[in-house]
Amino acid sequence: MMIKTIGVVGAGSMGAGIANLAALNGFNVVLRDIKDSYLEGAMARINKFMSKSVERGKMTEEQKQETLSRIQTTTKLEDLKDVDVVIEAVLEDLDLKKEVFSQLDEIVREDVIITTNTSSMSITEIAATTKRPDRVAGMHFFNPAQLMKLVEIVRGYETSDDTVSALKALSVQLKKEVVEVKKDTPGFIVNRIMIPQFIEAIRLLEEGVASAEDIDKAVKFGLNYPMGPFELQDYAGVDIGYHVMEYFNNEFNDPRFAPPLLMKQMMRAGRFGKKSGAGFYDYEEKKELVKK
């Protein structure tokens, strides 16, 4: 299938990054969110990201402006009626995603593939809200989407081979490395491996085995990871990790995946990571704040 225009639903950090990525690679983009202020914030972040690229000599000012010109913003879902593929990147709320997919199914052409950027949730359940479950799949990018090389293409129960092939080809056009998740399982590949690591790191902190700073240092230098588990959770959002743990716990019915008590306390305190000014670390004073 020929893809010229990509619809992106949700203008948060992931949605904005995916829209920027698509535009950088020559695609026209229709970026939709429910408020103009969200869209304005997304475009400001996209502009800032590319301005840094201009400063570093990785692109010209003219290329930046051409990229921005390829992104159309809207608060109307109906404005996606002529797109060739959709990437949904709304909040990690299953009911919200199902509602969005049900609406999109009535708006976009019958041949259009609708994908979700969910990091953990059931593709099959989301696809069941549409009349085209064979043309629904997961397309999980990583943050920041412009830089992170991996995309997980996730099959739902009904996802067709043609859909998977088309999304793999699109991912290559977006200059990504692709892995195929053959079964619709919570967390797919990366989060299925990463979430237990997060949980074990939090337990080490709760037990007083080591500080958050030293656990991060041990993982970075001992396992050669670019970020430690607490740095990464603060960057991605403590609340997102918490909800993924809850989802795993419910889906697998396995207490190993239950969020540790410390995570629950942090959620109650509104310590969601960098975006809220504090998570496992305090970003005002740049020092570890949560001990155990």
Side-chain angles (χ1 to χ4, degrees), residues 111-261:
D111 64 311
V112 170
I113 295 171
I114 311 176
T115 71
T116 173
N117 185 59
T118 181
S119 62
S120 305
M121 294 178 175
S122 171
I123 309 303
T124 304
E125 187 169 352
I126 293 170
T129 65
T130 75
K131 302 181 187 71
R132 66 183 85 198
D134 59 315
R135 290 190 293 282
V136 173
M139 195 173 189
H140 180 213
F141 294 83
F142 293 79
N143 194 18
Q146 303 98 316
L147 300 178
M148 297 292 283
K149 295 295 291 182
L150 185 67
V151 172
E152 293 179 313
I153 303 299
V154 189
R155 286 180 179 268
Y157 190 81
E158 304 278 1
T159 305
S160 71
D161 291 342
D162 286 345
T163 294
V164 172
S165 294
L167 294 177
K168 284 182 176 180
L170 174 60
S171 299
V172 171
Q173 287 181 277
L174 294 172
K175 299 180 174 60
K176 297 301 181 186
E177 296 291 334
V178 185
V179 293
E180 179 184 344
V181 182
K182 297 179 181 295
K183 293 184 178 181
D184 185 13
T185 184
F188 317 138
I189 298 172
V190 174
N191 275 349
R192 180 74 178 271
I193 293 170
M194 185 173 66
I195 291 299
Q197 293 181 334
F198 284 171
I199 291 172
E200 200 58 37
I202 295 166
R203 287 173 177 161
L204 285 170
L205 183 61
E206 285 183 324
E207 293 167 12
V209 174
S211 66
E213 183 178 16
D214 278 351
I215 294 169
D216 277 345
K217 186 175 181 180
V219 168
K220 284 192 290 186
F221 293 103
L223 297 177
N224 201 29
Y225 285 14
M227 299 176 74
F230 300 114
E231 290 175 306
L232 182 52
Q233 287 179 89
D234 276 1
Y235 178 77
V238 174
D239 53 330
I240 294 174
Y242 174 82
H243 291 308
V244 171
M245 291 173 197
E246 281 204 316
Y247 185 75
F248 276 23
N249 186 31
N250 292 332
E251 287 289 299
F252 289 117
N253 194 28
D254 188 336
R256 290 180 303 166
F257 294 110
L261 180 59

Side-chain angles (χ1 to χ4, degrees), residues 68-80:
L68 289 171
S69 73
R70 286 193 282 268
I71 304 175
Q72 170 194 341
T73 61
T74 182
T75 57
K76 297 177 181 177
L77 203 60
E78 293 78 9
D79 286 342
L80 276 72

Side-chain angles (χ1 to χ4, degrees), residues 8-155:
V8 180
V9 182
S13 60
M14 284 307 304
I18 293 166
N20 191 187
L21 170 70
L24 282 165
N25 286 282
F27 292 95
N28 294 318
V29 178
V30 180
L31 176 61
R32 185 264 184 182
D33 212 315
I34 58 174
K35 291 184 180 180
D36 286 324
S37 59
Y38 297 164
L39 294 164
E40 290 164 3
M43 294 306 297
R45 293 193 300 275
I46 290 170
N47 185 71
K48 181 178 179 181
F49 178 87
M50 289 193 292
S51 292
K52 289 181 179 178
S53 296
V54 172
E55 290 171 9
R56 294 169 183 163
K58 294 184 177 181
M59 70 187 309
T60 65
E61 180 64 28
E62 183 181 7
Q63 289 172 323
K64 185 185 92 167
Q65 293 304 323
E66 287 176 356
T67 301
L68 289 171
S69 73
R70 286 193 282 268
I71 304 175
Q72 170 194 341
T73 61
T74 182
T75 57
K76 297 177 181 177
L77 203 60
E78 293 78 9
D79 286 342
L80 276 72
K81 63 183 178 62
D82 295 323
V83 304
D84 301 310
V85 68
V86 180
I87 303 171
E88 167 271 310
V90 302
L91 297 173
E92 284 288 270
D93 180 306
L94 187 57
D95 289 336
L96 175 60
K97 290 181 184 291
K98 288 162 68 173
E99 180 183 350
V100 168
F101 268 71
S102 179
Q103 293 173 352
L104 285 168
D105 190 46
E106 299 297 324
I107 292 169
V108 300
R109 300 189 313 270
E110 290 183 2
D111 64 311
V112 170
I113 295 171
I114 311 176
T115 71
T116 173
N117 185 59
T118 181
S119 62
S120 305
M121 294 178 175
S122 171
I123 309 303
T124 304
E125 187 169 352
I126 293 170
T129 65
T130 75
K131 302 181 187 71
R132 66 183 85 198
D134 59 315
R135 290 190 293 282
V136 173
M139 195 173 189
H140 180 213
F141 294 83
F142 293 79
N143 194 18
Q146 303 98 316
L147 300 178
M148 297 292 283
K149 295 295 291 182
L150 185 67
V151 172
E152 293 179 313
I153 303 299
V154 189
R155 286 180 179 268

